[in-house]
Amino acid sequence: MRVLRILGLVVISAVTGVLSGTAAEAAPTAAAIVAAEALPSGAVTGRAGPAPAPMAAPALTAPVVSRVAGTPCRSTARACIELSSNRAWLISNGIVQYGPVPITHGREGWRTPPGTFAVTFKSLNHRSSLFNDAPMPYSVFFNGGIAFHQGSLTQESHGCIHLSRTAARTFFTALNGGDVVQVVT
């Protein structure tokens, strides 16, 4: 009987912890186990006895994610790209740190896809393995072979985000592996 009460309390604690979103609440404490012993017979096990008082379910709240003022991107982004206006920004803690700066992006057949990505690696003096060993200085890769890098601001790319030399250096210095890059149309 005691084991069933404790097991029932563990299940209730786990469900409560899942609903509230905290792992700490999912594990029963010693005080909770002692409190289970004080419950009327059958309160947790479903056997005859008085039913426990109904509990209100904890409110589920999603984290607040707002847009960064002056950009089309969310506050969780570290870098923001707006394809329709050919602009990019660096963001820190929901505040624009740098930009907007002009960019060019993927041409027909090589469009830069919108979405949310993470920086995977950086390469100071990268050269393209697909396009005739073309130089890609200050490369910051965030979507497979797509990267921010120094490039032409008059010609569209093969999917990469071209930046001026100054902007490419700034993005290269500021961004690190795992940083969120948001690309919007």
Side-chain angles (χ1 to χ4, degrees):
M1 180 75 143
R2 178 179 181 194
V3 171
L4 289 177
R5 282 188 192 166
I6 292 171
L7 182 59
L9 180 61
V10 168
V11 170
I12 290 171
S13 295
V15 169
T16 303
V18 168
L19 289 175
S20 67
T22 61
E25 292 176 330
T29 63
I33 293 172
V34 170
E37 290 302 307
L39 289 175
S41 175
V44 173
T45 64
R47 296 183 183 224
M55 286 182 19
L60 298 176
T61 57
V64 176
V65 178
S66 59
R67 298 239 181 259
V68 176
T71 79
C73 295
R74 295 182 292 184
S75 59
T76 53
R78 179 71 175 99
C80 174
I81 302 163
E82 185 176 45
L83 300 172
S84 62
S85 67
N86 289 316
R87 298 184 301 170
W89 298 261
L90 287 173
I91 299 166
S92 181
N93 297 317
I95 299 169
V96 172
Q97 297 296 302
Y98 182 71
V101 295
I103 65 161
T104 55
H105 54 84
R107 64 183 77 176
E108 189 68 38
W110 297 93
R111 294 290 182 210
T112 305
T116 302
F117 309 96
V119 171
T120 53
F121 73 99
K122 298 170 23 170
S123 178
L124 181 62
N125 293 306
H126 193 79
R127 297 192 76 82
S128 174
S129 59
L130 298 175
F131 300 104
N132 300 321
D133 208 32
M136 298 169 58
Y138 305 106
S139 289
V140 179
F141 288 86
F142 61 87
N143 181 11
I146 296 178
F148 291 105
H149 65 83
Q150 179 184 334
S152 171
L153 292 178
T154 59
Q155 294 181 11
E156 292 179 322
S157 73
H158 287 97
C160 287
I161 303 300
H162 286 172
L163 298 163
S164 70
R165 179 179 176 82
T166 300
R169 275 192 309 220
T170 302
F171 274 62
F172 185 86
T173 301
L175 295 172
N176 294 302
D179 283 346
V180 174
V181 177
Q182 188 177 0
V183 181
V184 299
T185 53

